[in-house]
Amino acid sequence: MQSIIASILLTASLSAGATPQIPAKETSEVAQQVMPNAQSWQSDAEANADKAAKLETQLAERNQEIERLKRQLSSSKVSTATNTKTEQTGAKTPWRTGEFTAYYPPTDVSEHAMQGNGITAQGDNLHKSQTCEGYQIVAAPPDIPFDTKLEIEVNGAVIKAIVRDRGGAIKGSKFDIALPNRSSAVDFGRQSGKWRIIN
């Protein structure tokens, strides 16, 4: 009966354009139904806020780690660049052991496979000269820049050399020294010795 009366009053209010008033009893019932859910929603919201805070903390820690690694990488690059620059600007490096062979400008096409075509990677014509700027031309490993000047000591003799060439087998501490002809290269053979960067 009360619900019928409430429905009639609500209909009348709406017809008259008035804002409907929810009876106090119905308000109380709605509140009782919502309260358990409200507490659950609040608990969920708090749990989600905790998760978000933890994730933000983890993200901040990861960002700090990324920045630390970037600084470390940058420092490593600067250190390597400084060392390379030092080696190239006149500071002599310590002696290192190496293996030395010789090659020569070929006189026959059949020798091209082993001796190249007589033109260095930097364009020097070995048929005309095996020196550059007064230094003996050598093929050196790719980690030693072109035009680096070296001292090579083999069998008691010191050779002033300049890096102007590369070679497929020239890696690590292997060097190939340009000589004028086949006989001088054969006489030189394969020798152990030491080398250092002088400029």
Side-chain angles (χ1 to χ4, degrees):
M1 185 69 179
Q2 287 181 348
S3 59
I4 294 171
I5 294 170
S7 178
I8 293 169
L9 289 173
L10 180 60
T11 304
S13 297
L14 290 172
S15 299
T19 303
Q21 299 295 320
I22 300 173
K25 183 178 178 185
E26 289 187 11
T27 303
S28 175
E29 288 174 1
V30 170
Q32 287 175 1
Q33 291 172 0
V34 170
M35 281 302 289
N37 290 333
Q39 289 172 351
S40 173
W41 296 335
Q42 185 174 357
S43 297
D44 289 346
E46 289 172 356
N48 288 335
D50 288 343
K51 287 179 184 177
K54 287 178 183 176
L55 288 172
E56 285 179 4
T57 301
Q58 290 175 355
L59 182 59
E61 289 171 356
R62 296 274 172 89
N63 286 338
Q64 287 176 352
E65 179 67 9
I66 289 169
E67 290 302 318
R68 185 187 68 77
L69 291 172
K70 282 181 180 177
R71 286 193 300 272
Q72 186 177 348
L73 180 61
S74 176
S75 175
S76 174
K77 286 180 179 176
V78 168
S79 175
T80 302
T82 302
N83 290 341
T84 303
K85 187 176 180 182
T86 299
E87 291 184 352
Q88 295 175 23
T89 55
K92 292 183 179 181
T93 62
W95 286 102
R96 307 173 206 184
T97 58
E99 185 178 296
F100 304 90
T101 52
Y103 70 118
Y104 58 94
T107 56
D108 188 88
V109 175
S110 63
E111 297 176 316
H112 282 199
M114 289 297 293
Q115 305 303 321
N117 61 4
I119 306 298
T120 70
Q122 290 296 92
D124 307 288
N125 187 339
L126 297 178
H127 292 281
K128 293 181 179 179
S129 176
Q130 297 81 50
T131 61
C132 177
E133 300 175 19
Y135 291 83
Q136 196 74 28
I137 290 172
V138 298
D143 57 324
I144 302 176
F146 285 119
D147 295 325
T148 299
K149 295 179 175 67
L150 309 172
E151 272 184 348
I152 296 171
E153 188 175 312
V154 178
N155 200 23
V158 176
I159 301 167
K160 302 284 188 181
I162 185 169
V163 178
R164 299 287 293 173
D165 211 354
R166 301 290 187 219
I170 308 303
K171 299 172 184 175
S173 283
K174 293 182 178 180
F175 297 83
D176 215 3
I177 302 169
L179 294 179
N181 51 52
R182 185 178 187 278
S183 61
S184 59
V186 170
D187 288 344
F188 185 90
R190 184 182 302 274
Q191 302 185 49
S192 295
K194 58 184 182 178
W195 64 278
R196 66 178 175 178
I197 294 173
I198 58 173
N199 193 359

PDB file of all heavy atoms in Angstrom, residues 154-182:
ATOM      1  N   VAL A 154     112.171  -6.222 -35.487  1.00  0.00           N
ATOM      2  CA  VAL A 154     112.243  -7.626 -35.897  1.00  0.00           C
ATOM      3  C   VAL A 154     113.708  -8.017 -36.042  1.00  0.00           C
ATOM      4  O   VAL A 154     114.459  -7.354 -36.779  1.00  0.00           O
ATOM      5  CB  VAL A 154     111.494  -7.852 -37.234  1.00  0.00           C
ATOM      6  CG1 VAL A 154     111.615  -9.303 -37.669  1.00  0.00           C
ATOM      7  CG2 VAL A 154     110.034  -7.471 -37.117  1.00  0.00           C
ATOM      8  N   ASN A 155     114.097  -9.060 -35.337  1.00  0.00           N
ATOM      9  CA  ASN A 155     115.458  -9.598 -35.451  1.00  0.00           C
ATOM     10  C   ASN A 155     116.518  -8.518 -35.233  1.00  0.00           C
ATOM     11  O   ASN A 155     117.537  -8.469 -35.936  1.00  0.00           O
ATOM     12  CB  ASN A 155     115.632 -10.272 -36.824  1.00  0.00           C
ATOM     13  CG  ASN A 155     116.788 -11.249 -36.856  1.00  0.00           C
ATOM     14  OD1 ASN A 155     117.207 -11.755 -35.814  1.00  0.00           O
ATOM     15  ND2 ASN A 155     117.315 -11.511 -38.044  1.00  0.00           N
ATOM     16  N   GLY A 156     116.251  -7.625 -34.287  1.00  0.00           N
ATOM     17  CA  GLY A 156     117.210  -6.579 -33.938  1.00  0.00           C
ATOM     18  C   GLY A 156     117.142  -5.335 -34.796  1.00  0.00           C
ATOM     19  O   GLY A 156     117.769  -4.322 -34.476  1.00  0.00           O
ATOM     20  N   ALA A 157     116.400  -5.376 -35.881  1.00  0.00           N
ATOM     21  CA  ALA A 157     116.281  -4.207 -36.761  1.00  0.00           C
ATOM     22  C   ALA A 157     114.984  -3.464 -36.457  1.00  0.00           C
ATOM     23  O   ALA A 157     113.944  -4.073 -36.217  1.00  0.00           O
ATOM     24  CB  ALA A 157     116.296  -4.657 -38.219  1.00  0.00           C
ATOM     25  N   VAL A 158     115.049  -2.133 -36.470  1.00  0.00           N
ATOM     26  CA  VAL A 158     113.859  -1.310 -36.219  1.00  0.00           C
ATOM     27  C   VAL A 158     113.387  -0.710 -37.530  1.00  0.00           C
ATOM     28  O   VAL A 158     114.167  -0.076 -38.258  1.00  0.00           O
ATOM     29  CB  VAL A 158     114.159  -0.194 -35.197  1.00  0.00           C
ATOM     30  CG1 VAL A 158     112.939   0.711 -35.023  1.00  0.00           C
ATOM     31  CG2 VAL A 158     114.550  -0.790 -33.846  1.00  0.00           C
ATOM     32  N   ILE A 159     112.112  -0.916 -37.836  1.00  0.00           N
ATOM     33  CA  ILE A 159     111.503  -0.391 -39.059  1.00  0.00           C
ATOM     34  C   ILE A 159     110.511   0.698 -38.670  1.00  0.00           C
ATOM     35  O   ILE A 159     109.642   0.479 -37.825  1.00  0.00           O
ATOM     36  CB  ILE A 159     110.760  -1.508 -39.826  1.00  0.00           C
ATOM     37  CG1 ILE A 159     111.718  -2.640 -40.188  1.00  0.00           C
ATOM     38  CG2 ILE A 159     110.067  -0.944 -41.067  1.00  0.00           C
ATOM     39  CD1 ILE A 159     111.010  -3.899 -40.667  1.00  0.00           C
ATOM     40  N   LYS A 160     110.668   1.875 -39.253  1.00  0.00           N
ATOM     41  CA  LYS A 160     109.678   2.941 -39.080  1.00  0.00           C
ATOM     42  C   LYS A 160     108.607   2.732 -40.146  1.00  0.00           C
ATOM     43  O   LYS A 160     108.917   2.736 -41.350  1.00  0.00           O
ATOM     44  CB  LYS A 160     110.318   4.320 -39.258  1.00  0.00           C
ATOM     45  CG  LYS A 160     111.458   4.606 -38.304  1.00  0.00           C
ATOM     46  CD  LYS A 160     110.976   4.936 -36.923  1.00  0.00           C
ATOM     47  CE  LYS A 160     112.142   5.411 -36.050  1.00  0.00           C
ATOM     48  NZ  LYS A 160     111.713   5.727 -34.695  1.00  0.00           N
ATOM     49  N   ALA A 161     107.374   2.532 -39.728  1.00  0.00           N
ATOM     50  CA  ALA A 161     106.322   2.146 -40.677  1.00  0.00           C
ATOM     51  C   ALA A 161     105.094   3.033 -40.549  1.00  0.00           C
ATOM     52  O   ALA A 161     104.883   3.701 -39.537  1.00  0.00           O
ATOM     53  CB  ALA A 161     105.945   0.678 -40.447  1.00  0.00           C
ATOM     54  N   ILE A 162     104.280   3.010 -41.604  1.00  0.00           N
ATOM     55  CA  ILE A 162     103.014   3.749 -41.609  1.00  0.00           C
ATOM     56  C   ILE A 162     101.915   2.828 -42.134  1.00  0.00           C
ATOM     57  O   ILE A 162     102.128   2.081 -43.094  1.00  0.00           O
ATOM     58  CB  ILE A 162     103.112   5.037 -42.464  1.00  0.00           C
ATOM     59  CG1 ILE A 162     101.824   5.865 -42.355  1.00  0.00           C
ATOM     60  CG2 ILE A 162     103.440   4.726 -43.919  1.00  0.00           C
ATOM     61  CD1 ILE A 162     101.950   7.270 -42.948  1.00  0.00           C
ATOM     62  N   VAL A 163     100.756   2.876 -41.489  1.00  0.00           N
ATOM     63  CA  VAL A 163      99.639   2.001 -41.870  1.00  0.00           C
ATOM     64  C   VAL A 163      98.925   2.597 -43.081  1.00  0.00           C
ATOM     65  O   VAL A 163      98.307   3.663 -42.986  1.00  0.00           O
ATOM     66  CB  VAL A 163      98.643   1.836 -40.698  1.00  0.00           C
ATOM     67  CG1 VAL A 163      97.455   0.969 -41.128  1.00  0.00           C
ATOM     68  CG2 VAL A 163      99.330   1.233 -39.488  1.00  0.00           C
ATOM     69  N   ARG A 164      99.030   1.877 -44.224  1.00  0.00           N
ATOM     70  CA  ARG A 164      98.385   2.349 -45.447  1.00  0.00           C
ATOM     71  C   ARG A 164      97.590   1.254 -46.149  1.00  0.00           C
ATOM     72  O   ARG A 164      97.003   1.484 -47.192  1.00  0.00           O
ATOM     73  CB  ARG A 164      99.448   2.883 -46.427  1.00  0.00           C
ATOM     74  CG  ARG A 164     100.249   4.060 -45.920  1.00  0.00           C
ATOM     75  CD  ARG A 164      99.463   5.329 -45.901  1.00  0.00           C
ATOM     76  NE  ARG A 164      99.126   5.775 -47.246  1.00  0.00           N
ATOM     77  CZ  ARG A 164      98.311   6.796 -47.509  1.00  0.00           C
ATOM     78  NH1 ARG A 164      97.721   7.454 -46.530  1.00  0.00           N
ATOM     79  NH2 ARG A 164      98.043   7.140 -48.761  1.00  0.00           N
ATOM     80  N   ASP A 165      97.579   0.052 -45.544  1.00  0.00           N
ATOM     81  CA  ASP A 165      96.945  -1.063 -46.243  1.00  0.00           C
ATOM     82  C   ASP A 165      96.279  -2.002 -45.243  1.00  0.00           C
ATOM     83  O   ASP A 165      96.512  -1.922 -44.035  1.00  0.00           O
ATOM     84  CB  ASP A 165      97.995  -1.826 -47.062  1.00  0.00           C
ATOM     85  CG  ASP A 165      97.422  -2.454 -48.330  1.00  0.00           C
ATOM     86  OD1 ASP A 165      96.188  -2.398 -48.524  1.00  0.00           O
ATOM     87  OD2 ASP A 165      98.212  -3.005 -49.116  1.00  0.00           O
ATOM     88  N   ARG A 166      95.422  -2.878 -45.775  1.00  0.00           N
ATOM     89  CA  ARG A 166      94.742  -3.920 -44.997  1.00  0.00           C
ATOM     90  C   ARG A 166      94.978  -5.256 -45.685  1.00  0.00           C
ATOM     91  O   ARG A 166      95.514  -5.323 -46.792  1.00  0.00           O
ATOM     92  CB  ARG A 166      93.234  -3.652 -44.909  1.00  0.00           C
ATOM     93  CG  ARG A 166      92.853  -2.327 -44.268  1.00  0.00           C
ATOM     94  CD  ARG A 166      93.143  -2.312 -42.793  1.00  0.00           C
ATOM     95  NE  ARG A 166      92.625  -1.096 -42.172  1.00  0.00           N
ATOM     96  CZ  ARG A 166      93.233  -0.424 -41.223  1.00  0.00           C
ATOM     97  NH1 ARG A 166      94.411  -0.828 -40.764  1.00  0.00           N
ATOM     98  NH2 ARG A 166      92.691   0.658 -40.692  1.00  0.00           N
ATOM     99  N   GLY A 167      94.535  -6.322 -45.035  1.00  0.00           N
ATOM    100  CA  GLY A 167      94.657  -7.645 -45.636  1.00  0.00           C
ATOM    101  C   GLY A 167      93.703  -8.602 -44.958  1.00  0.00           C
ATOM    102  O   GLY A 167      93.426  -8.474 -43.764  1.00  0.00           O
ATOM    103  N   GLY A 168      93.190  -9.555 -45.717  1.00  0.00           N
ATOM    104  CA  GLY A 168      92.210 -10.490 -45.170  1.00  0.00           C
ATOM    105  C   GLY A 168      92.722 -11.270 -43.980  1.00  0.00           C
ATOM    106  O   GLY A 168      91.972 -11.584 -43.055  1.00  0.00           O
ATOM    107  N   ALA A 169      94.021 -11.612 -43.973  1.00  0.00           N
ATOM    108  CA  ALA A 169      94.601 -12.397 -42.873  1.00  0.00           C
ATOM    109  C   ALA A 169      95.272 -11.516 -41.831  1.00  0.00           C
ATOM    110  O   ALA A 169      95.844 -12.021 -40.866  1.00  0.00           O
ATOM    111  CB  ALA A 169      95.609 -13.396 -43.433  1.00  0.00           C
ATOM    112  N   ILE A 170      95.219 -10.204 -42.032  1.00  0.00           N
ATOM    113  CA  ILE A 170      95.900  -9.281 -41.121  1.00  0.00           C
ATOM    114  C   ILE A 170      94.946  -8.890 -40.003  1.00  0.00           C
ATOM    115  O   ILE A 170      94.163  -7.944 -40.122  1.00  0.00           O
ATOM    116  CB  ILE A 170      96.418  -8.031 -41.882  1.00  0.00           C
ATOM    117  CG1 ILE A 170      97.256  -8.446 -43.084  1.00  0.00           C
ATOM    118  CG2 ILE A 170      97.218  -7.141 -40.953  1.00  0.00           C
ATOM    119  CD1 ILE A 170      98.433  -9.342 -42.752  1.00  0.00           C
ATOM    120  N   LYS A 171      95.021  -9.636 -38.919  1.00  0.00           N
ATOM    121  CA  LYS A 171      94.149  -9.417 -37.761  1.00  0.00           C
ATOM    122  C   LYS A 171      94.951  -9.585 -36.484  1.00  0.00           C
ATOM    123  O   LYS A 171      96.031 -10.173 -36.494  1.00  0.00           O
ATOM    124  CB  LYS A 171      92.989 -10.414 -37.789  1.00  0.00           C
ATOM    125  CG  LYS A 171      92.094 -10.304 -39.010  1.00  0.00           C
ATOM    126  CD  LYS A 171      91.097 -11.437 -39.062  1.00  0.00           C
ATOM    127  CE  LYS A 171      90.274 -11.378 -40.338  1.00  0.00           C
ATOM    128  NZ  LYS A 171      89.374 -12.537 -40.484  1.00  0.00           N
ATOM    129  N   GLY A 172      94.384  -9.108 -35.375  1.00  0.00           N
ATOM    130  CA  GLY A 172      95.056  -9.268 -34.078  1.00  0.00           C
ATOM    131  C   GLY A 172      96.342  -8.477 -34.037  1.00  0.00           C
ATOM    132  O   GLY A 172      96.339  -7.258 -34.090  1.00  0.00           O
ATOM    133  N   SER A 173      97.476  -9.174 -33.965  1.00  0.00           N
ATOM    134  CA  SER A 173      98.792  -8.516 -33.956  1.00  0.00           C
ATOM    135  C   SER A 173      99.632  -8.991 -35.130  1.00  0.00           C
ATOM    136  O   SER A 173     100.835  -9.196 -35.021  1.00  0.00           O
ATOM    137  CB  SER A 173      99.518  -8.804 -32.633  1.00  0.00           C
ATOM    138  OG  SER A 173      98.983  -8.013 -31.598  1.00  0.00           O
ATOM    139  N   LYS A 174      98.982  -9.184 -36.285  1.00  0.00           N
ATOM    140  CA  LYS A 174      99.687  -9.570 -37.509  1.00  0.00           C
ATOM    141  C   LYS A 174      99.846  -8.351 -38.410  1.00  0.00           C
ATOM    142  O   LYS A 174      98.920  -7.560 -38.563  1.00  0.00           O
ATOM    143  CB  LYS A 174      98.922 -10.667 -38.246  1.00  0.00           C
ATOM    144  CG  LYS A 174      98.879 -11.990 -37.488  1.00  0.00           C
ATOM    145  CD  LYS A 174      98.156 -13.054 -38.294  1.00  0.00           C
ATOM    146  CE  LYS A 174      98.163 -14.387 -37.555  1.00  0.00           C
ATOM    147  NZ  LYS A 174      97.460 -15.446 -38.323  1.00  0.00           N
ATOM    148  N   PHE A 175     101.026  -8.234 -39.009  1.00  0.00           N
ATOM    149  CA  PHE A 175     101.321  -7.126 -39.904  1.00  0.00           C
ATOM    150  C   PHE A 175     101.999  -7.662 -41.158  1.00  0.00           C
ATOM    151  O   PHE A 175     102.719  -8.665 -41.109  1.00  0.00           O
ATOM    152  CB  PHE A 175     102.256  -6.118 -39.227  1.00  0.00           C
ATOM    153  CG  PHE A 175     101.663  -5.464 -38.019  1.00  0.00           C
ATOM    154  CD1 PHE A 175     101.697  -6.101 -36.782  1.00  0.00           C
ATOM    155  CD2 PHE A 175     101.062  -4.224 -38.106  1.00  0.00           C
ATOM    156  CE1 PHE A 175     101.153  -5.502 -35.654  1.00  0.00           C
ATOM    157  CE2 PHE A 175     100.507  -3.616 -36.987  1.00  0.00           C
ATOM    158  CZ  PHE A 175     100.550  -4.266 -35.752  1.00  0.00           C
ATOM    159  N   ASP A 176     101.775  -6.987 -42.280  1.00  0.00           N
ATOM    160  CA  ASP A 176     102.394  -7.347 -43.554  1.00  0.00           C
ATOM    161  C   ASP A 176     103.162  -6.127 -44.037  1.00  0.00           C
ATOM    162  O   ASP A 176     102.576  -5.051 -44.236  1.00  0.00           O
ATOM    163  CB  ASP A 176     101.300  -7.745 -44.553  1.00  0.00           C
ATOM    164  CG  ASP A 176     101.735  -8.849 -45.499  1.00  0.00           C
ATOM    165  OD1 ASP A 176     102.863  -9.351 -45.366  1.00  0.00           O
ATOM    166  OD2 ASP A 176     100.929  -9.204 -46.379  1.00  0.00           O
ATOM    167  N   ILE A 177     104.466  -6.277 -44.224  1.00  0.00           N
ATOM    168  CA  ILE A 177     105.332  -5.152 -44.586  1.00  0.00           C
ATOM    169  C   ILE A 177     105.572  -5.160 -46.093  1.00  0.00           C
ATOM    170  O   ILE A 177     105.929  -6.185 -46.670  1.00  0.00           O
ATOM    171  CB  ILE A 177     106.675  -5.247 -43.834  1.00  0.00           C
ATOM    172  CG1 ILE A 177     106.418  -5.255 -42.319  1.00  0.00           C
ATOM    173  CG2 ILE A 177     107.608  -4.111 -44.221  1.00  0.00           C
ATOM    174  CD1 ILE A 177     107.634  -5.612 -41.488  1.00  0.00           C
ATOM    175  N   ALA A 178     105.372  -4.012 -46.738  1.00  0.00           N
ATOM    176  CA  ALA A 178     105.570  -3.904 -48.186  1.00  0.00           C
ATOM    177  C   ALA A 178     107.059  -3.825 -48.499  1.00  0.00           C
ATOM    178  O   ALA A 178     107.775  -2.961 -47.983  1.00  0.00           O
ATOM    179  CB  ALA A 178     104.847  -2.679 -48.724  1.00  0.00           C
ATOM    180  N   LEU A 179     107.511  -4.753 -49.367  1.00  0.00           N
ATOM    181  CA  LEU A 179     108.905  -4.770 -49.819  1.00  0.00           C
ATOM    182  C   LEU A 179     108.931  -4.685 -51.349  1.00  0.00           C
ATOM    183  O   LEU A 179     107.915  -4.907 -52.006  1.00  0.00           O
ATOM    184  CB  LEU A 179     109.600  -6.040 -49.320  1.00  0.00           C
ATOM    185  CG  LEU A 179     109.762  -6.129 -47.779  1.00  0.00           C
ATOM    186  CD1 LEU A 179     110.441  -7.440 -47.385  1.00  0.00           C
ATOM    187  CD2 LEU A 179     110.553  -4.945 -47.230  1.00  0.00           C
ATOM    188  N   PRO A 180     110.101  -4.404 -51.927  1.00  0.00           N
ATOM    189  CA  PRO A 180     110.122  -4.099 -53.361  1.00  0.00           C
ATOM    190  C   PRO A 180     109.849  -5.269 -54.293  1.00  0.00           C
ATOM    191  O   PRO A 180     109.300  -5.072 -55.389  1.00  0.00           O
ATOM    192  CB  PRO A 180     111.538  -3.552 -53.608  1.00  0.00           C
ATOM    193  CG  PRO A 180     112.268  -3.639 -52.339  1.00  0.00           C
ATOM    194  CD  PRO A 180     111.371  -4.137 -51.285  1.00  0.00           C
ATOM    195  N   ASN A 181     110.224  -6.503 -53.908  1.00  0.00           N
ATOM    196  CA  ASN A 181     110.090  -7.617 -54.851  1.00  0.00           C
ATOM    197  C   ASN A 181     109.912  -8.948 -54.125  1.00  0.00           C
ATOM    198  O   ASN A 181     110.000  -9.017 -52.901  1.00  0.00           O
ATOM    199  CB  ASN A 181     111.298  -7.681 -55.795  1.00  0.00           C
ATOM    200  CG  ASN A 181     112.613  -7.656 -55.023  1.00  0.00           C
ATOM    201  OD1 ASN A 181     112.810  -8.446 -54.099  1.00  0.00           O
ATOM    202  ND2 ASN A 181     113.480  -6.729 -55.391  1.00  0.00           N
ATOM    203  N   ARG A 182     109.666  -9.975 -54.925  1.00  0.00           N
ATOM    204  CA  ARG A 182     109.377 -11.296 -54.378  1.00  0.00           C
ATOM    205  C   ARG A 182     110.555 -11.854 -53.577  1.00  0.00           C
ATOM    206  O   ARG A 182     110.358 -12.406 -52.484  1.00  0.00           O
ATOM    207  CB  ARG A 182     109.030 -12.260 -55.528  1.00  0.00           C
ATOM    208  CG  ARG A 182     108.605 -13.636 -55.056  1.00  0.00           C
ATOM    209  CD  ARG A 182     108.217 -14.535 -56.235  1.00  0.00           C
ATOM    210  NE  ARG A 182     107.655 -15.786 -55.774  1.00  0.00           N
ATOM    211  CZ  ARG A 182     108.368 -16.835 -55.378  1.00  0.00           C
ATOM    212  NH1 ARG A 182     109.701 -16.766 -55.397  1.00  0.00           N
ATOM    213  NH2 ARG A 182     107.766 -17.938 -54.975  1.00  0.00           N
TER     214      ARG A 182
END
